[in-house]
Amino acid sequence: MFDPITISAAVATASTAFNGIKRAFAAGRDLEAMSQDLSRWMGAVSDVDNAHKSAKNPSMLRKVFGG
């Protein structure tokens, strides 16, 4: 049989490992959310850049109709 001290140490070790895994998953979720935010921000920057380039070099229709 196992003595109570060994069982207690095993439970404490398992609890510590479980808490570490929970923190790792939380950090992973935070990183995923941050990467999604950065992706949306970079998309908006690209949209603004394309609008700026299009305003500098308007298409033929835009030139004709003065849009």
Side-chain angles (χ1 to χ4, degrees):
M1 288 214 102
F2 296 106
D3 61 352
I5 295 173
T6 305
I7 293 172
S8 176
V11 169
T13 303
S15 177
T16 302
F18 178 73
N19 288 333
I21 291 169
K22 280 192 336 186
R23 280 193 299 273
F25 275 115
R29 282 192 298 270
D30 289 344
L31 285 173
E32 181 182 8
M34 183 179 64
S35 67
Q36 289 173 350
D37 291 341
L38 285 173
S39 176
R40 280 195 309 260
W41 182 76
M42 290 303 293
V45 168
S46 176
D47 291 346
V48 169
D49 187 43
N50 286 335
H52 181 70
K53 286 178 183 176
S54 139
K56 281 180 145 180
N57 300 318
S59 66
M60 185 58 74
L61 285 174
R62 206 172 280 252
K63 286 179 183 178
V64 170
F65 292 112

